[in-house]
Amino acid sequence: MTTLTTSEVDLAALDSATKYPSIPTYHTLQPNGALLDEHIPFTGQVVVTEKVDGTNGRIVVMPDGKYVIGSRKELLTASGDLVPNPVHGIVDTLRPIAEKVASWASDEESILVLYLEVYGGTQLPAGRDYTGDGALGARLFDMVRIPYPAQVLSQPVEQIASWREHGGQRFFAEGALGAEALALGVQLCPRLGVVAAEDLPDTVDEAHAWMEQLLPRTQAALDPSAKGHPEGLVLRSLDRSTIAKLRFQSYRRTAQVRAGNR
């Protein structure tokens, strides 16, 4: 099999195939920003993690051992690039990780993608919640391998986007993700525990109270002078087949709307 080289890849196709899909809210979100008690069902054991409020970054390791770094929306730089896009400090923060990963994790038959939250600093809206000194950090929250990438990347961009948003990417299960993070020396988004699906809160009010008790302050602070306000939680099944997010802002908004309707 001929190894797919970075220079021959359609960048629009690569960008689409490696973007992170949308994460649904645990409770149904209405157009007015309030939540309904209807929620996503989980089964088995569920990993509860902190949702860090920064900007999504991705490291794409190509079959030829080169890497590409991107934000959530676009590709920003690649191996050997002398003029990277400096937006939000993503490239400067992720390049050392990318160089380490690309040196040993490339695979001739797949593309490896690491998804990290780049947070803190002075440019990001929630930066002061994590740092008072302007520090930037990165937390790994997902990884995926795209096998036989030439087959995926040869499709029209619209078809690739549909493939991505309908579960075409195969993410690492919790155990494998943790092992990879340890090998790379990269921190995961804070793990807050593992709970049985039947013990998850059902109603919006129950979930709000549970969140406030479980995460009163961020566990991802970069220095002692951080304000410490957390963004929310992410729920994942152990095999990563089901995922959902809970944001404090949405639950507080719902409480306000319900109070105003009484």
Side-chain angles (χ1 to χ4, degrees):
M1 179 179 292
T2 302
T3 300
L4 181 68
T5 63
T6 305
S7 60
E8 63 190 14
V9 168
D10 182 314
L11 292 180
L14 180 68
D15 182 33
S16 184
T18 61
K19 281 180 175 175
Y20 195 69
S22 302
I23 298 179
T25 56
Y26 178 59
H27 285 101
T28 301
L29 185 65
Q30 300 178 91
N32 67 352
L35 300 162
L36 298 174
D37 284 333
E38 178 185 21
H39 63 81
I40 291 175
F42 280 81
T43 58
Q45 298 294 103
V46 181
V47 181
V48 185
T49 72
E50 179 177 347
K51 186 179 189 302
V52 178
D53 192 356
T55 184
N56 285 187
R58 48 187 155 138
I59 297 171
V60 181
V61 182
M62 300 298 294
D64 61 2
K66 297 185 182 300
Y67 66 81
V68 178
I69 296 175
S71 65
R72 183 182 185 91
K73 294 183 178 180
E74 62 183 337
L75 303 179
L76 303 176
T77 193
S79 300
D81 184 5
L82 298 178
V83 191
N85 186 328
V87 63
H88 297 314
I90 294 173
V91 172
D92 285 346
T93 304
L94 297 186
R95 194 195 299 276
I97 302 171
E99 291 177 347
K100 183 176 182 180
V101 177
S103 69
W104 62 267
S106 59
D107 182 321
E108 292 187 357
E109 296 184 0
S110 69
I111 291 174
L112 176 67
V113 191
L114 285 71
Y115 297 97
L116 304 99
E117 194 75 10
V118 177
Y119 68 104
T122 58
Q123 301 178 39
L124 297 168
R128 290 187 179 276
D129 287 326
Y130 303 98
T131 178
D133 299 334
L136 277 167
R139 293 278 188 150
L140 180 68
F141 62 87
D142 252 324
M143 290 180 69
V144 67
R145 275 200 183 275
I146 302 174
Y148 310 108
Q151 296 178 14
V152 175
L153 300 182
S154 64
Q155 304 300 315
V157 170
E158 296 78 10
Q159 190 169 332
I160 295 173
S162 178
W163 164 85
R164 179 188 73 235
E165 293 297 329
H166 290 87
Q169 296 164 322
R170 292 291 180 261
F171 288 92
F172 283 40
E174 176 68 10
L177 181 65
E180 293 291 341
L182 183 63
L184 291 170
V186 178
Q187 288 184 297
L188 290 169
C189 287
R191 265 52 190 162
L192 305 177
V194 178
V195 301
E198 57 267 27
D199 293 331
L200 289 174
D202 289 322
T203 70
V204 170
D205 289 343
E206 289 171 349
H208 191 185
W210 178 64
M211 293 171 67
E212 297 283 1
Q213 180 179 21
L214 187 64
L215 189 65
R217 182 176 175 85
T218 180
Q219 295 189 12
L222 295 165
D223 52 63
S225 54
K227 290 184 176 180
H229 303 133
E231 183 188 16
L233 307 176
V234 176
L235 307 178
R236 308 162 187 269
S237 56
L238 284 177
D239 63 2
R240 183 47 177 83
S241 60
T242 309
I243 185 169
K245 62 185 177 184
L246 303 85
R247 298 176 69 242
F248 279 105
Q249 182 179 0
S250 297
Y251 287 85
R252 290 166 184 160
R253 167 65 177 163
T254 302
Q256 292 172 351
V257 169
R258 290 182 174 180
N261 290 336
R262 288 173 186 161

